[in-house]
Every structure is written in structure tokens, then in C-alpha cells.
Amino acid sequence: MDRVNDLSALLTDEGQTLLARLRDHDPSQELALATRLRRDHPADLVSAALGQARLRQRAVAKFGAEDAYRMYFTPNGVEQATRRPVAEYRAARFSALGVRSVADLCSGIGGDAIALARAGIRVLAVDRDPLTASAVRANAEALGLADLIEVRCADVTETDTSAYDAVFADPARRGGRGRVFDPEAYSPPLSWAIAAARTRPHAALKIAPGIPHELVPDDFAAEWISYGGEVKEAVLWSGTGPGTVAATLLPGPYTLTGRGLPNPPVRPVGRYLHEPDGAVIRAHLVAEAAEELEGGLIDETIAYITSDVLRPVPYATAYEITDRLPFGLKRLKALLRERGIGSLTVKKRGSAVEPEELRRRVKPQGPNAATVFLTRVAGAPSMLIGRPVPADG
């Protein structure tokens, strides 16, 4: 069977029965399980079901168990799909803009199309890969959204989007050799996606978070999104206020918007050290975070903010600093031994020392815990030792 036929076979009663049996299977026992199943089912169908069962287990982290075990995936689809809370946040933004229909270009297995449809938005999902398009169609049916999601297997560059309020595009950022960093090497290129976005009143283009700021067009807004403290993507928005830069943290959402502030001043290390969320750093909004924290930088090139007063904000994690030392492993080892610190979290910014190498050399032992920051303070290699401030302060 080819892959499209594999998927079609899984949609039959026999395929559904196999998938139900495999929901909680143990991948380490697959060989014995496959042997048993092939006594009663075609070998190709068993292989397809086992492969899909593995993908569903992987997809739970992104989609939640309720959706993941009803959906259909491809290996690339699981890897590249938008995490459900991120897709739901974007769909809510489209809805708030009054968008009622979206052309979802490069739809993948349909993560964004599903969120848009659940927000009551009519979706055209377009992907040129026949298997991926089949997966989107199967997912729309499985989740009861077929009336809102039209699926088209086609080249997005040849798709007419004039009947839709908005365009959402997620160009492929992986090639045969892995991740692609040049936006013009996306498939299709970012320049094409920007041109397509400009044809509609509203648009969102999902791109890699490492995009240089100078590549953001003047007539677009840029938003960096993190989930659970991990930066997931950047989005270029049109029709929402050109030139705006924002960092959004999920769950929440909490959004920090740029105000064009100058770089924060460098000041001595105070009682607290604040580690800005990655989306804040990627969006170049450390100055805005520092203003809210009433703090300054420990070094002009390091994105750590220090302050004397604790002002909890969702955009940065706070640590209470107990010690500041010039960099030196002997000195650190002596301090850890004196304090009985056996659980050591190592963070670094502006240091070449690897955390695992440091732990191996200082051999922390004892019942207590601490965090050490390997960084620079006013240009000097330094170690800051402290502990996280509880969420309630």
C-alpha cells in the first residue's frame, strides 16, 4: 500500500478497530504485538495502524489526548504542527478582528485549521502533499468540523484567496538537510507569503523565531510567542497596526508590547535577578520588561535584569541573589560545600562554560538547592548564586 491508501485503510471499520486496540500499546512490545495482530489482520494494515498509534502518542503533548487519539498524523505533521494552545490563541485573534473566513496555506495536518474552525471561522486548508491533504480531511471529519473546513490538495502559489477575509500561511521551514534558516529558502519563500498576505485585509504568517528584525516589512506587526517558557514561533501580522512588536506568553495570554524604549542602564547587581522569557528577548523587549521591573542590566550585552525591589511580572522569572563572586570553580566548589548544596541548577548567558562540565567539576553534595548564573557583570566573568522566588512572591 502507498501512504494515502494506508490512511484510507485506517478509516475502515477494521482499521478503526485496530487503532482502538492500539491506543495504550507499549512501543517496546511492538514486535510481539504485531505478530499477534497479523494473525487476524492484513500485515500492511497492522503496520499502518502501529505507525499511526505511535504518532498519536507523540501528538498528545501538542494536541491533548482527547484530540490526538481521534486525529491522523504524518511524521512531519506531528513535528511541524502548531501546538493546540498556540493555534487557539491565533484563532481568537483572527476572530477578534472580525475575520469569518481564512485561507490556510501550507495547512499541514490541520492544527491551525481545526482551531480556526472551532472559533467559528470558515477555512480553506491547502497543502500540495496528497497524504497531508488526506490527513486534514480525515481530521476535519473525525472532529466534527467538516462543514467548516474545505480541503484542497494544490500548490498554494496557484490558489485564489480572494473569497476569504484573511490569509494564514505557514511555509515549510525544513528541507532535505534539516531546518532552513534563510526565509527565502522557505517553501514557498517568505517574500511570496508576504505578497499573498498583502492581498487580503488581514493575514498572519508563521515564521521561525530567529528571523532578523530587519527582515520584518514596515507594514507588518511582529509577534514572538512562547508556551510554557519555550519560544515556539514568530508571526507577522498585517491589518493589525504596522510596525508593532510584541511578545506573547502562553498560557495566559500575557502580551508585552514594544514602546521603542532605549536600552536599559547598566547598574550594580541588586537583591533580585530577573530572567526574561525567551519571547521577550527575541522580540527585543528587554527594555520594556526592565521598566516594568524598575531594574537595569547587569551588563550592556547580557539580557539579565537586576533590581532591589521585587515586582512579579509574567514576562520574567525572578531569583533572589545571595552571593556574587568572580568566576572561579574552586571558589564555587567551596561555597557549595559550605552551604550543603547538592541540587545545583546552572544557567549561563555570556559564558563559554557548559553546565554539565561545571557540575562534573564542582561535584555538588548536600540536602540544599541553589541556582548559579554564569555570566558577565559589567564586563567581568562572574557567578551569581541564588534561588527562585516563589510565584506568590
Side-chain angles (χ1 to χ4, degrees), residues 289-386:
E291 183 179 74
E292 294 202 13
L293 291 163
E294 297 186 9
L297 299 181
I298 63 171
D299 183 279
E300 63 180 6
T301 64
I302 302 295
Y304 283 139
I305 301 167
T306 187
S307 68
D308 295 314
V309 178
L310 180 64
R311 297 190 181 282
V313 299
Y315 318 114
T317 302
Y319 296 82
E320 185 174 14
I321 298 302
T322 57
D323 300 89
R324 173 191 166 182
L325 304 170
F327 180 79
L329 294 183
K330 287 184 178 179
R331 189 179 282 110
L332 177 61
K333 187 173 183 178
L335 183 144
L336 298 179
R337 185 170 58 248
E338 176 187 327
R339 304 277 174 83
I341 294 170
S343 177
L344 183 66
T345 300
V346 182
K347 292 178 170 288
K348 70 167 196 166
R349 190 162 286 158
S351 172
V353 179
E354 292 301 325
E356 287 306 317
E357 173 66 11
L358 181 137
R359 286 194 198 89
R360 186 184 67 79
R361 294 180 65 179
V362 301
K363 300 180 177 64
Q365 294 181 5
N368 299 320
T371 299
V372 58
F373 294 85
L374 307 178
T375 187
R376 290 195 303 274
V377 175
S382 303
M383 303 180 297
L384 303 177
I385 294 88

XYZ file of all heavy atoms in Angstrom, residues 289-386:
749
model
N 10.568 45.211 29.611
C 10.476 44.388 30.818
C 11.223 45.050 31.971
O 10.744 45.066 33.111
C 11.048 42.997 30.544
N 12.382 45.620 31.686
C 13.167 46.270 32.742
C 12.416 47.454 33.331
O 12.475 47.697 34.546
C 14.516 46.720 32.184
N 11.712 48.195 32.494
C 10.945 49.337 33.005
C 9.855 48.871 33.967
O 9.652 49.461 35.031
C 10.320 50.119 31.851
C 9.578 51.367 32.311
C 8.977 52.140 31.159
O 7.958 51.669 30.595
O 9.512 53.205 30.826
N 9.157 47.779 33.614
C 8.114 47.262 34.499
C 8.706 46.737 35.802
O 8.056 46.783 36.858
C 7.312 46.163 33.799
C 6.499 46.677 32.623
C 5.331 45.759 32.281
O 5.001 44.874 33.088
O 4.752 45.953 31.201
N 9.939 46.248 35.730
C 10.590 45.698 36.925
C 11.346 46.759 37.722
O 11.882 46.461 38.791
C 11.562 44.591 36.512
C 10.925 43.311 35.970
C 11.954 42.485 35.212
C 10.319 42.505 37.107
N 11.386 47.980 37.174
C 12.166 49.060 37.781
C 13.607 48.608 38.000
O 14.209 48.808 39.068
C 11.535 49.522 39.102
C 10.150 50.123 38.930
C 9.603 50.709 40.215
O 10.366 50.808 41.198
O 8.422 51.075 40.244
N 14.153 47.990 36.963
C 15.501 47.453 37.070
C 16.399 47.904 35.943
O 16.013 48.684 35.059
N 17.626 47.411 35.970
C 18.600 47.683 34.930
C 19.341 46.412 34.572
O 19.094 45.341 35.145
N 20.257 46.514 33.615
C 21.022 45.353 33.162
C 22.260 45.156 34.028
O 22.813 46.111 34.570
C 21.445 45.542 31.702
C 20.327 45.689 30.670
C 20.937 45.839 29.274
C 19.377 44.501 30.714
N 22.699 43.901 34.134
C 23.953 43.632 34.844
C 25.153 43.859 33.923
O 26.281 44.020 34.395
C 23.991 42.202 35.409
C 23.940 41.153 34.280
C 22.850 41.982 36.398
C 24.202 39.736 34.756
N 24.890 43.883 32.610
C 25.937 44.105 31.609
C 25.224 44.569 30.347
O 24.121 44.097 30.044
C 26.721 42.816 31.345
C 27.870 43.000 30.370
O 27.623 43.000 29.154
O 29.015 43.146 30.837
N 25.830 45.464 29.606
C 25.132 46.025 28.436
C 24.848 44.994 27.354
O 23.997 45.215 26.493
C 25.938 47.188 27.857
C 27.303 46.819 27.323
C 28.060 48.011 26.774
O 27.567 49.141 26.903
O 29.151 47.802 26.196
N 25.536 43.842 27.376
C 25.337 42.822 26.343
C 24.589 41.591 26.855
O 24.429 40.625 26.118
C 26.692 42.369 25.777
O 27.453 41.730 26.818
C 27.482 43.541 25.228
N 24.140 41.602 28.118
C 23.534 40.420 28.728
C 22.090 40.722 29.117
O 21.811 41.731 29.775
C 24.310 39.978 29.991
C 25.775 39.692 29.649
C 23.658 38.755 30.626
C 25.986 38.529 28.720
N 21.173 39.825 28.722
C 19.745 40.055 28.961
C 19.298 39.527 30.318
O 18.325 38.772 30.435
C 18.915 39.416 27.852
N 20.032 39.886 31.362
C 19.595 39.657 32.731
C 19.291 41.025 33.347
O 20.102 41.962 33.228
C 20.668 38.959 33.567
C 20.815 37.479 33.318
C 22.080 36.896 33.260
C 19.700 36.650 33.173
C 22.239 35.537 33.052
C 19.852 35.286 32.968
C 21.116 34.731 32.890
O 21.259 33.386 32.686
N 18.157 41.129 34.017
C 17.728 42.381 34.640
C 17.887 42.252 36.151
O 17.552 41.214 36.727
C 16.254 42.679 34.290
C 16.086 42.789 32.772
C 15.766 43.947 34.978
C 14.640 42.776 32.311
N 18.401 43.273 36.794
C 18.553 43.253 38.243
C 17.779 44.404 38.867
O 17.594 45.458 38.256
C 20.045 43.335 38.652
O 20.162 43.147 40.057
C 20.663 44.661 38.252
N 17.302 44.178 40.084
C 16.537 45.206 40.796
C 16.667 44.985 42.293
O 17.073 43.909 42.744
C 15.059 45.164 40.387
O 14.450 43.973 40.864
N 16.304 46.016 43.044
C 16.328 45.910 44.501
C 14.954 45.585 45.068
O 14.842 45.133 46.210
C 16.831 47.221 45.112
C 18.276 47.499 44.750
O 19.098 46.572 44.856
O 18.570 48.626 44.312
N 13.924 45.820 44.264
C 12.542 45.607 44.706
C 11.919 44.529 43.827
O 12.117 44.516 42.607
C 11.721 46.905 44.619
C 10.270 46.658 45.024
C 12.343 47.985 45.499
N 11.176 43.625 44.442
C 10.529 42.546 43.692
C 9.190 43.029 43.163
O 8.311 43.435 43.929
C 10.333 41.323 44.588
C 9.659 40.118 43.934
C 10.535 39.581 42.799
C 9.383 39.034 44.965
N 9.036 43.002 41.852
C 7.763 43.331 41.208
C 7.441 42.179 40.248
O 7.843 42.213 39.090
C 7.851 44.650 40.453
C 8.136 45.845 41.361
C 7.973 47.163 40.634
N 8.267 48.288 41.507
C 7.432 48.760 42.417
N 6.251 48.190 42.574
N 7.785 49.801 43.162
N 6.721 41.172 40.725
C 6.454 39.993 39.888
C 5.705 40.363 38.605
O 4.690 41.071 38.651
C 5.593 39.106 40.795
C 5.892 39.562 42.184
C 6.135 41.037 42.073
N 6.223 39.921 37.479
C 5.567 40.088 36.178
C 5.636 38.749 35.464
O 6.526 37.933 35.729
C 6.245 41.185 35.329
C 6.182 42.546 36.022
C 7.682 40.806 35.003
N 4.700 38.493 34.554
C 4.722 37.199 33.860
C 5.833 37.083 32.829
O 6.096 35.994 32.337
C 3.348 37.150 33.181
C 2.949 38.575 33.019
C 3.519 39.304 34.196
N 6.500 38.182 32.503
C 7.466 38.185 31.408
C 8.872 37.792 31.826
O 9.770 37.722 30.988
C 7.515 39.581 30.758
C 6.162 40.204 30.581
C 5.800 41.341 31.287
C 5.219 39.616 29.736
C 4.545 41.899 31.143
C 3.959 40.168 29.586
C 3.620 41.305 30.293
O 2.365 41.846 30.151
N 9.089 37.581 33.129
C 10.439 37.249 33.599
C 10.352 36.413 34.864
O 9.435 36.569 35.669
C 11.241 38.523 33.869
N 11.315 35.504 35.020
C 11.420 34.681 36.222
C 12.382 35.349 37.194
O 13.487 35.738 36.811
C 11.934 33.277 35.862
O 11.049 32.688 34.905
C 12.005 32.388 37.092
N 11.959 35.477 38.446
C 12.754 36.196 39.446
C 13.547 35.233 40.321
O 13.060 34.160 40.703
C 11.843 37.060 40.316
N 14.766 35.633 40.660
C 15.637 34.890 41.569
C 16.152 35.865 42.625
O 16.509 37.007 42.309
C 16.832 34.287 40.824
C 16.437 33.253 39.793
C 16.007 33.645 38.525
C 16.495 31.897 40.084
C 15.631 32.708 37.573
C 16.129 30.950 39.137
C 15.695 31.365 37.894
O 15.319 30.432 36.962
N 16.214 35.412 43.858
C 16.826 36.199 44.920
C 18.305 35.839 44.979
O 18.656 34.671 45.148
C 16.151 35.925 46.260
C 16.675 36.820 47.371
C 15.904 36.663 48.668
O 15.132 35.667 48.783
O 16.066 37.518 49.548
N 19.158 36.829 44.818
C 20.598 36.601 44.752
C 21.206 36.669 46.151
O 20.991 37.643 46.889
C 21.275 37.632 43.825
C 20.719 37.483 42.398
C 22.792 37.456 43.828
C 20.896 36.114 41.792
N 21.943 35.635 46.501
C 22.582 35.583 47.820
C 24.076 35.871 47.757
O 24.659 36.335 48.737
C 22.374 34.194 48.457
O 22.902 33.191 47.560
C 20.893 33.918 48.696
N 24.704 35.591 46.617
C 26.157 35.761 46.516
C 26.535 36.197 45.107
O 25.945 35.737 44.121
C 26.882 34.441 46.812
C 26.593 33.923 48.212
O 25.596 33.171 48.362
O 27.334 34.275 49.131
N 27.515 37.077 45.043
C 28.130 37.444 43.761
C 29.624 37.210 43.885
O 30.275 37.734 44.804
C 27.856 38.901 43.416
C 28.622 39.338 42.178
C 28.591 40.832 41.967
N 29.597 41.205 40.978
C 29.842 42.458 40.602
N 29.165 43.458 41.145
N 30.789 42.710 39.704
N 30.171 36.387 42.967
C 31.580 36.030 43.036
C 32.234 36.200 41.670
O 31.579 35.979 40.633
C 31.748 34.562 43.453
C 31.098 34.121 44.774
C 31.161 32.606 44.868
C 31.827 34.763 45.940
N 33.510 36.575 41.637
C 34.241 36.479 40.369
C 34.261 35.014 39.928
O 34.241 34.104 40.772
C 35.648 36.979 40.722
C 35.493 37.699 42.014
C 34.351 37.062 42.735
N 34.335 34.787 38.643
C 34.295 33.408 38.169
C 35.505 32.630 38.682
O 36.646 33.108 38.619
C 34.268 33.349 36.641
C 34.224 31.942 36.117
C 33.041 31.247 36.099
C 35.389 31.317 35.688
C 32.991 29.931 35.641
C 35.356 30.000 35.227
C 34.148 29.313 35.211
N 35.236 31.422 39.199
C 36.310 30.549 39.668
C 35.710 29.281 40.231
O 34.907 29.326 41.166
N 36.085 28.142 39.679
C 35.465 26.888 40.087
C 35.848 26.496 41.510
O 35.021 25.936 42.246
C 35.847 25.779 39.105
C 35.296 25.946 37.684
C 35.678 24.752 36.815
C 33.782 26.117 37.698
N 37.062 26.789 41.935
C 37.448 26.445 43.308
C 36.607 27.220 44.315
O 36.154 26.680 45.327
C 38.935 26.731 43.530
C 39.876 25.751 42.840
C 41.319 26.046 43.204
C 42.266 25.031 42.555
N 43.686 25.324 42.891
N 36.416 28.498 44.026
C 35.619 29.332 44.922
C 34.177 28.839 44.971
O 33.555 28.775 46.030
C 35.691 30.779 44.438
C 35.081 31.786 45.402
C 35.220 33.198 44.862
N 36.571 33.714 45.056
C 37.436 33.928 44.058
N 37.101 33.655 42.819
N 38.628 34.398 44.300
N 33.632 28.475 43.818
C 32.250 27.983 43.764
C 32.143 26.653 44.499
O 31.191 26.437 45.275
C 31.806 27.807 42.310
C 30.402 27.234 42.109
C 29.343 28.136 42.729
C 30.120 27.018 40.618
N 33.082 25.767 44.297
C 33.046 24.464 44.959
C 33.068 24.624 46.479
O 32.326 23.948 47.209
C 34.219 23.613 44.489
C 34.183 22.177 44.981
C 35.295 21.355 44.338
C 35.224 19.908 44.779
N 36.280 19.082 44.114
N 33.883 25.558 46.960
C 33.967 25.788 48.407
C 32.650 26.333 48.946
O 32.182 25.923 50.020
C 35.115 26.750 48.708
N 32.033 27.244 48.212
C 30.772 27.815 48.672
C 29.667 26.752 48.706
O 28.881 26.689 49.651
C 30.361 28.984 47.761
C 29.099 29.735 48.162
C 29.240 31.223 47.866
C 27.867 29.189 47.427
N 29.610 25.896 47.667
C 28.584 24.843 47.628
C 28.773 23.866 48.780
O 27.788 23.422 49.402
C 28.652 24.097 46.284
C 28.369 24.928 45.027
C 28.501 24.047 43.779
C 27.001 25.572 45.069
N 30.019 23.543 49.080
C 30.291 22.623 50.186
C 29.891 23.265 51.524
O 29.268 22.634 52.380
C 31.765 22.242 50.191
C 32.115 21.186 51.252
C 33.528 20.654 51.060
N 34.524 21.710 51.114
C 35.247 22.117 50.060
N 35.088 21.542 48.872
N 36.136 23.088 50.181
N 30.215 24.526 51.673
C 29.880 25.245 52.913
C 28.369 25.317 53.125
O 27.880 25.184 54.250
C 30.464 26.656 52.848
C 30.100 27.543 54.025
C 30.565 28.966 53.795
O 31.613 29.161 53.139
O 29.875 29.897 54.246
N 27.604 25.492 52.023
C 26.146 25.645 52.123
C 25.413 24.301 52.051
O 24.191 24.265 52.170
C 25.638 26.541 50.993
C 26.298 27.912 50.940
C 25.665 28.900 51.885
N 26.388 30.154 51.913
C 26.225 31.144 51.026
N 25.348 31.020 50.042
N 26.940 32.251 51.139
N 26.108 23.218 51.799
C 25.460 21.916 51.676
C 24.544 21.828 50.477
O 23.457 21.258 50.538
N 24.992 22.372 49.353
C 24.168 22.419 48.142
C 24.484 21.212 47.264
O 25.593 21.074 46.741
C 24.401 23.730 47.382
C 23.893 24.908 48.215
C 23.697 23.691 46.015
C 24.279 26.256 47.678
N 23.497 20.342 47.124
C 23.658 19.158 46.281
C 22.843 19.222 45.006
O 23.157 18.554 44.025
N 21.786 20.022 45.020
C 20.955 20.202 43.827
C 21.281 21.559 43.234
O 20.890 22.606 43.779
C 19.469 20.116 44.193
O 18.658 20.354 43.062
N 22.012 21.562 42.121
C 22.516 22.806 41.539
C 21.964 22.994 40.130
O 22.224 22.195 39.240
C 24.042 22.793 41.501
C 24.711 24.068 40.979
C 24.458 25.234 41.937
C 26.207 23.845 40.781
N 21.201 24.055 39.948
C 20.733 24.443 38.614
C 21.729 25.441 38.050
O 22.070 26.433 38.714
C 19.338 25.085 38.681
O 18.425 24.137 39.228
C 18.871 25.508 37.303
N 22.215 25.169 36.844
C 23.220 26.028 36.225
C 22.598 26.740 35.033
O 22.067 26.104 34.120
C 24.458 25.224 35.778
C 25.511 26.164 35.183
C 25.040 24.438 36.946
N 22.649 28.061 35.040
C 22.194 28.866 33.913
C 23.359 29.702 33.430
O 24.212 30.107 34.230
C 21.017 29.761 34.317
C 19.742 28.978 34.629
C 18.630 29.910 35.056
C 17.300 29.175 35.143
N 16.768 28.837 33.804
N 23.387 29.952 32.139
C 24.512 30.737 31.644
C 24.054 31.683 30.549
O 23.113 31.395 29.791
C 25.625 29.834 31.135
C 25.301 29.082 29.843
C 26.565 28.485 29.259
C 26.356 28.084 27.804
N 27.620 27.819 27.118
N 24.693 32.804 30.505
C 24.491 33.780 29.433
C 25.769 34.607 29.372
O 26.151 35.245 30.340
C 23.271 34.651 29.720
C 22.869 35.522 28.545
C 21.447 36.009 28.695
N 20.513 34.905 28.437
C 19.262 34.879 28.875
N 18.810 35.856 29.632
N 18.477 33.869 28.578
N 26.459 34.512 28.246
C 27.728 35.215 28.115
C 28.899 34.461 28.712
O 29.933 35.053 29.037
N 28.773 33.145 28.869
C 29.854 32.311 29.399
C 30.054 31.112 28.485
O 29.091 30.565 27.943
C 29.515 31.827 30.811
O 30.463 30.881 31.256
N 31.304 30.704 28.326
C 31.611 29.547 27.477
C 31.558 28.233 28.239
O 31.650 27.160 27.648
C 32.997 29.718 26.850
N 31.406 28.290 29.560
C 31.405 27.073 30.378
C 30.086 26.330 30.201
O 29.004 26.922 30.279
C 31.616 27.419 31.862
C 31.579 26.154 32.710
C 32.926 28.156 32.048
N 30.163 25.018 29.952
C 28.958 24.211 29.790
C 28.448 23.747 31.154
O 29.250 23.330 32.001
C 29.243 22.995 28.901
C 29.526 23.348 27.455
C 28.365 24.087 26.808
O 27.197 23.777 27.141
O 28.621 24.971 25.967
N 27.125 23.813 31.373
C 26.568 23.428 32.683
C 26.965 22.038 33.150
O 27.322 21.851 34.324
C 25.051 23.543 32.449
C 24.920 24.609 31.406
C 26.097 24.404 30.492
N 26.932 21.059 32.265
C 27.260 19.697 32.690
C 28.724 19.585 33.102
O 29.070 18.857 34.035
C 26.934 18.701 31.572
C 25.439 18.471 31.370
C 24.736 18.072 32.668
O 25.288 17.234 33.419
O 23.654 18.621 32.946
N 29.594 20.297 32.394
C 31.014 20.276 32.740
C 31.225 20.917 34.114
O 32.011 20.427 34.933
C 31.817 21.021 31.671
C 33.289 21.218 31.995
C 34.082 19.917 32.053
O 33.539 18.864 31.640
O 35.238 19.957 32.516
N 30.500 22.001 34.390
C 30.636 22.644 35.696
C 30.175 21.709 36.806
O 30.849 21.576 37.824
C 29.842 23.950 35.719
C 29.941 24.726 37.032
C 30.122 26.213 36.778
C 28.702 24.508 37.899
N 29.019 21.074 36.622
C 28.531 20.151 37.665
C 29.529 19.024 37.911
O 29.755 18.608 39.042
C 27.169 19.564 37.246
C 26.015 20.530 37.345
C 24.688 19.790 37.256
N 23.605 20.691 36.940
C 23.214 20.999 35.714
N 23.829 20.447 34.675
N 22.218 21.830 35.516
N 30.100 18.518 36.841
C 31.059 17.416 36.983
C 32.278 17.846 37.793
O 32.800 17.082 38.617
C 31.505 16.945 35.592
C 32.385 15.700 35.611
C 32.876 15.348 34.222
N 33.796 16.350 33.699
C 35.077 16.435 34.033
N 35.600 15.574 34.898
N 35.845 17.371 33.511
N 32.697 19.081 37.616
C 33.928 19.528 38.267
C 33.706 19.984 39.706
O 34.595 19.824 40.550
C 34.570 20.649 37.439
C 35.063 20.152 36.070
C 35.685 21.246 35.265
N 36.912 21.769 35.893
C 37.644 22.735 35.358
N 37.287 23.275 34.193
N 38.724 23.168 35.976
N 32.531 20.542 40.033
C 32.328 21.022 41.410
C 31.709 19.962 42.313
O 31.731 20.093 43.534
C 31.471 22.305 41.439
C 32.131 23.415 40.644
C 30.049 22.061 40.945
N 31.132 18.900 41.696
C 30.580 17.772 42.455
C 29.682 18.218 43.628
O 30.018 17.988 44.801
C 31.714 16.883 42.995
C 32.607 16.279 41.924
C 33.683 15.421 42.568
C 34.548 14.732 41.520
N 35.325 15.699 40.699
N 28.552 18.864 43.345
C 27.689 19.342 44.440
C 27.134 18.188 45.270
O 26.717 17.164 44.743
C 26.566 20.085 43.702
C 26.560 19.518 42.322
C 27.976 19.143 42.018
N 27.135 18.363 46.577
C 26.623 17.350 47.500
C 25.951 18.054 48.679
O 26.438 19.078 49.161
C 27.753 16.454 48.029
C 28.398 15.590 46.968
C 29.500 14.712 47.541
O 29.716 14.700 48.751
N 30.186 13.977 46.682
N 24.838 17.470 49.122
C 24.161 18.038 50.279
C 22.666 18.113 50.071
O 22.159 17.840 48.979
N 21.924 18.516 51.100
C 20.462 18.493 51.042
C 19.839 19.751 50.444
O 18.627 19.781 50.195
C 20.075 18.373 52.513
C 21.175 19.099 53.243
C 22.430 18.819 52.453
N 20.631 20.805 50.226
C 20.068 22.084 49.822
C 20.186 22.303 48.313
O 20.920 21.600 47.618
C 20.754 23.220 50.588
C 20.555 23.076 52.085
O 19.466 22.713 52.542
N 21.610 23.325 52.857
N 19.439 23.307 47.830
C 19.393 23.593 46.393
C 19.747 25.049 46.140
O 19.538 25.927 46.997
C 18.006 23.290 45.832
N 20.288 25.313 44.957
C 20.617 26.685 44.569
C 20.689 26.760 43.050
O 20.779 25.738 42.359
C 21.935 27.140 45.194
N 20.675 27.979 42.554
C 20.873 28.249 41.132
C 22.112 29.115 40.993
O 22.300 30.083 41.748
C 19.666 28.994 40.540
O 18.504 28.181 40.682
C 19.897 29.301 39.065
N 22.985 28.756 40.049
C 24.158 29.583 39.778
C 24.046 30.110 38.349
O 23.732 29.367 37.420
C 25.478 28.801 39.980
C 25.555 27.571 39.089
C 26.686 29.721 39.722
N 24.295 31.407 38.195
C 24.300 32.054 36.888
C 25.750 32.313 36.503
O 26.481 33.007 37.231
C 23.541 33.375 36.941
C 22.067 33.225 37.206
C 21.598 33.131 38.509
C 21.162 33.161 36.166
C 20.238 32.985 38.766
C 19.804 33.013 36.413
C 19.340 32.922 37.711
N 26.169 31.745 35.403
C 27.486 32.003 34.848
C 27.311 33.096 33.801
O 26.665 32.887 32.773
C 28.057 30.740 34.201
C 28.082 29.485 35.083
C 28.633 28.302 34.294
C 28.896 29.722 36.348
N 27.857 34.266 34.050
C 27.543 35.400 33.198
C 28.634 36.452 33.298
O 29.732 36.182 33.821
C 26.160 35.980 33.588
O 25.783 36.973 32.657
C 26.144 36.525 35.008
N 28.356 37.622 32.795
C 29.254 38.763 32.939
C 28.529 39.860 33.703
O 27.347 40.123 33.462
C 29.692 39.302 31.571
C 30.632 38.386 30.808
C 31.299 39.135 29.648
N 30.318 39.721 28.735
C 29.764 39.073 27.716
N 30.090 37.806 27.485
N 28.899 39.673 26.935
N 29.226 40.509 34.591
C 28.706 41.664 35.322
C 29.622 42.838 35.018
O 30.814 42.802 35.359
C 28.644 41.399 36.842
C 28.229 42.659 37.584
C 27.672 40.262 37.142
N 29.076 43.828 34.320
C 29.867 44.999 33.914
C 31.161 44.572 33.215
O 32.232 45.117 33.454
C 30.164 45.894 35.112
N 31.041 43.538 32.382
C 32.172 43.075 31.585
C 33.035 42.017 32.225
O 33.884 41.426 31.551
N 32.866 41.745 33.522
C 33.724 40.787 34.213
C 33.036 39.434 34.350
O 31.885 39.367 34.786
C 34.077 41.318 35.600
N 33.728 38.332 34.001
C 33.139 36.996 34.197
C 32.780 36.799 35.666
O 33.621 37.006 36.551
C 34.246 36.045 33.748
C 35.091 36.861 32.826
C 35.051 38.264 33.383
N 31.532 36.410 35.910
C 31.037 36.359 37.284
C 30.132 35.173 37.505
O 29.632 34.549 36.549
C 30.268 37.653 37.620
O 31.066 38.796 37.436
N 29.912 34.875 38.792
C 28.961 33.849 39.206
C 27.990 34.486 40.194
O 28.415 35.081 41.195
C 29.685 32.672 39.873
C 30.749 32.023 39.006
S 31.588 30.623 39.838
C 32.375 31.482 41.213
N 26.705 34.363 39.903
C 25.667 34.854 40.805
C 24.922 33.643 41.343
O 24.449 32.810 40.566
C 24.703 35.786 40.066
C 25.334 37.005 39.380
C 24.275 37.800 38.639
C 26.078 37.880 40.376
N 24.841 33.527 42.649
C 24.182 32.372 43.264
C 22.907 32.854 43.938
O 22.883 33.904 44.586
C 25.106 31.684 44.294
C 26.315 31.053 43.597
C 24.363 30.582 45.040
C 27.489 31.934 43.418
N 21.840 32.095 43.747
C 20.573 32.482 44.343
C 19.562 31.365 44.303
O 19.907 30.191 44.117
